[in-house]
């Protein structure tokens, strides 16, 4: 059995910027390649979209890409077990199994875009449940927990306590920081590698955009964690090549292969601390060869360096220059907290556990509902 794992496509990333098409180009190439590789299943470990309420044009481009495996794909797998409703539509062609990520998370009573795709019959959405597929007598169980705020992740996983399915190869899919693999130091993880439930043949994690395969010991067994990596460069922290993974399962044995995307921008990151480094970077920018997709160049500049010359260079690239980011981040730490997290934190001080729901309602412009929710809470408290 062959399974494509395509993570963090962030459809709609930089939608008003110069790289507005990048996320779609990358996701479509990954899906096309997965179909060409004749995979039996496609796993999508979260952050398919860049936002929790994608614009209709972003959503429709996503639908067009994610419909391809249903229409152009063919698979011999059959669903043999499920602890949630699965639409027959989503079993046409190559079935796709997704969890939602941190970027798509909404309050439980509001539909997130992955649930919307599930309702449209395009894919299966997992959150604290599992599905089992079979092909030629080989069974594969996919268990998924969608992205939750880091502070709740450990308790929720423990409470769910997933158990591997007997006589199947078991994959557990998450979208969290798993200590020591941390996405943001501002949201400390509550799951450590050793907290992962035992007995799964492969652990898959979205969320972290740098791909990595990590082997570790769990209750005396050697286990594998696949950090899938994103299909698009979002943060520009590191120069790396983007792609997706293909897992092959044969007689219980698991192989993992990385498929690099052809349609991606080269990424260059420069740290300029002195005149010599400044000259080298200027040289580099002047001599950039023309490419179909302009490269992305990120320049981190020491604040004492004069960048007037640098700014005048007409490079065939998407250039961003930041001054002394590290120093500034140390001082204004609050700025690196995602604004939504900050909003929820502020609400939490006043409204306690209602904060997340309230925040989403306010985001939706549901002023009356949020007001009556608060009114109910306070009238109850004053009784
Ligand atoms: Mn992501």
């Amino acid at each position: 059995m062959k399974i494509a794992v395509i993570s963090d496509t962030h459809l709609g990333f930089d939608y008003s910027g110069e790289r507005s098409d990048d996320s779609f180009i990358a996701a479509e190439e990954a899906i096309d390649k997965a179909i060409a590789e004749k995979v039996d299943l496609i796993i999508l470990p979260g952050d398919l979209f860049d936002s929790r309420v994608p614009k209709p044009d972003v959503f429709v481009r996503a639908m067009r890409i994610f419909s391809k495996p249903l229409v152009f794909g063919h698979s011999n797998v059959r669903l043999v077990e499920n602890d949630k409703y699965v639409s027959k539509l989503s079993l046409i062609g190559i079935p796709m199994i997704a969890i939602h990520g941190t970027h798509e998370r909404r309050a439980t009573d509001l539909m997130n875009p992955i649930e919307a795709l599930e309702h449209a019959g395009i894919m299966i959405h997992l959150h604290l449940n599992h599905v089992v597929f079979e092909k030629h007598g080989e069974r594969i169980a996919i268990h998924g927990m969608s992205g939750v705020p880091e502070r709740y992740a450990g308790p929720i996983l423990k409470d769910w306590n997933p158990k591997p399915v007997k006589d199947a190869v078991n994959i557990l899919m998450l979208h969290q920081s798993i200590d020591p693999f941390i996405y943001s130091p501002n949201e400390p993880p509550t799951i450590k590698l050793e907290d992962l439930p035992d007995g799964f043949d492969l652990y898959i994690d979205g969320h972290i955009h740098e791909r990595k395969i990590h082997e570790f010991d769990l209750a005396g067994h050697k286990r594998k964690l696949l950090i899938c990596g994103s299909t698009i460069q979002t943060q520009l922290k590191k120069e790396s090549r983007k792609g997706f993974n293909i897992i092959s399962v044969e007689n219980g044995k698991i192989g993992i292969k990385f498929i690099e995307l052809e349609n991606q921008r080269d990424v260059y990151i420069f740290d300029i601390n002195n005149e010599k480094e400044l000259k080298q970077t200027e040289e580099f920018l002047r001599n950039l060869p023309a490419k179909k997709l302009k490269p992305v160049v990120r320049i981190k500049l020491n604040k004492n360096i004069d960048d007037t010359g640098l700014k005048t260079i007409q490079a065939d690239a998407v250039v961003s220059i930041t001054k002394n980011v590290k120093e500034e981040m140390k001082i204004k730490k609050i700025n690196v907290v995602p604004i939504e997290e900050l909003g929820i934190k502020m609400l939490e001080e006043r409204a306690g556990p209602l904060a997340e729901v309230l925040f989403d309602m306010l985001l939706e412009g549901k002023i009356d509902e949020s007001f009556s929710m608060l009114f109910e809470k306070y009238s109850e408290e004053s009784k």
Side-chain angles (χ1 to χ4, degrees):
M1 203 173 321
K2 257 167 114 180
I3 304 167
V5 186
I6 303 170
S7 194
D8 292 79
T9 48
H10 283 265
L11 296 176
F13 169 75
D14 192 30
Y15 204 56
S16 51
E18 203 170 342
R19 298 165 66 203
S20 59
D21 285 332
D22 288 20
S23 60
F24 302 99
I25 294 171
E28 185 154 24
E29 186 187 334
I31 289 288
D32 285 344
K33 288 214 155 91
I35 296 169
E37 287 270 342
K38 297 192 174 15
V39 300
D40 300 292
L41 292 169
I42 297 175
I43 289 182
L44 306 158
D47 282 1
L48 285 64
F49 293 94
D50 198 52
S51 83
R52 56 178 80 196
V53 187
K55 291 184 169 69
D57 38 336
V58 170
F59 200 76
V60 110
R61 287 174 84 173
M63 296 256 287
R64 212 177 280 160
I65 293 169
F66 291 125
S67 302
K68 283 183 145 185
L70 306 179
V71 180
F72 305 116
H74 179 73
S75 166
N76 287 315
V77 292
R78 149 175 103 79
L79 181 73
V80 290
E81 187 184 320
N82 48 302
D83 58 358
K84 64 164 288 166
Y85 170 76
V86 173
S87 157
K88 276 191 179 144
L89 278 173
S90 58
L91 299 174
I92 297 170
I94 304 169
M96 283 168 279
I97 304 117
I99 54 177
H100 65 264
T102 30
H103 279 251
E104 293 135 340
R105 197 182 68 226
R106 301 181 74 201
T108 35
D109 51 343
L110 297 173
M111 189 185 289
N112 71 55
I114 310 306
E115 289 169 319
L117 287 175
E118 176 178 60
H119 281 260
I122 290 185
M123 55 181 64
I124 300 166
H125 168 251
L126 293 182
H127 183 47
L128 311 178
N129 33 32
H130 73 276
V131 282
V132 185
F133 285 92
E134 186 186 283
K135 183 190 173 185
H136 306 322
E138 186 145 42
R139 287 188 173 208
I140 187 127
I142 299 153
H143 310 249
M145 170 173 139
S146 286
V148 299
E150 292 298 350
R151 58 194 179 281
Y152 306 134
I156 290 176
L157 180 60
K158 210 173 159 199
D159 196 48
W160 176 33
N161 192 21
K163 295 268 181 280
V165 171
K166 262 197 170 173
D167 303 320
V169 168
N170 282 273
I171 294 177
L172 176 63
M173 157 164 61
L174 303 172
H175 186 100
Q176 300 294 150
S177 287
I178 301 173
D179 197 4
F181 305 105
I182 300 170
Y183 178 75
S184 157
N186 298 298
E187 266 210 288
T190 53
I191 299 176
K192 291 195 187 96
L193 273 178
E194 57 262 37
D195 300 333
L196 289 171
D198 191 27
F200 292 83
D201 301 285
L202 181 65
Y203 299 81
I204 286 181
D205 195 22
H207 195 45
I208 312 273
H209 287 192
E210 297 298 325
R211 181 187 184 267
K212 197 180 188 110
I213 297 174
H214 181 73
E215 290 192 25
F216 63 105
D217 275 313
L218 194 62
H221 296 102
K222 282 234 172 308
R223 300 295 184 198
K224 239 179 219 173
L225 169 69
L226 166 64
I227 294 176
C228 312
S230 60
T231 53
I232 177 167
Q233 284 272 0
T234 54
Q235 291 182 310
L236 303 177
K237 276 187 182 162
K238 223 174 147 189
E239 297 171 0
S240 66
R241 301 299 289 170
K242 294 296 172 189
F244 68 103
N245 302 276
I246 290 192
I247 297 171
S248 54
V249 182
E250 223 170 296
N251 303 318
K253 276 215 154 66
I254 295 178
I256 306 173
K257 173 168 93 165
F258 179 66
I259 310 255
E260 194 180 295
L261 298 177
E262 285 155 47
N263 295 305
Q264 65 178 303
R265 298 180 193 268
D266 296 334
V267 173
Y268 302 97
I269 298 169
F270 291 97
D271 252 310
I272 304 181
N273 291 300
N274 51 48
E275 284 299 319
K276 193 180 157 208
E277 285 171 354
L278 178 70
K279 285 275 157 309
Q280 282 169 347
T281 310
E282 287 178 349
E283 259 319 284
F284 175 86
L285 283 179
R286 280 197 199 95
N287 296 313
L288 265 176
K291 287 234 176 168
K292 196 173 83 185
L293 285 171
K294 287 184 194 175
V296 177
V297 182
R298 181 174 178 205
I299 300 170
K300 292 184 265 180
L301 201 71
N302 184 298
K303 70 165 184 266
N304 300 319
I305 306 255
D306 178 15
D307 60 351
T308 353
L310 192 66
K311 279 181 175 160
T312 59
I313 299 172
Q314 299 278 328
D316 217 355
V318 184
V319 184
S320 72
I321 303 173
T322 43
K323 273 203 172 180
N324 215 17
V325 172
K326 270 184 204 152
E327 279 301 307
E328 267 169 34
M329 288 225 294
K330 261 186 220 156
I331 303 162
K332 298 184 200 161
K333 222 176 174 181
I334 199 108
N335 280 353
V336 292
V337 178
I339 195 77
E340 293 190 351
E341 281 299 318
L342 195 67
I344 292 169
K345 264 191 192 129
M346 283 164 74
L347 273 173
E348 240 168 19
E349 285 165 21
R350 305 275 173 138
L354 280 184
E356 283 238 5
V357 186
L358 264 178
F359 187 81
D360 278 341
M361 282 188 161
L362 292 172
L363 212 64
E364 297 285 302
K366 293 185 173 170
I367 310 286
D368 292 346
E369 283 100 322
S370 48
F371 187 77
S372 31
M373 188 186 261
L374 273 177
F375 185 75
E376 241 171 69
K377 176 183 153 69
Y378 286 111
S379 54
E380 246 169 56
E381 273 176 12
S382 58
K383 265 179 203 165

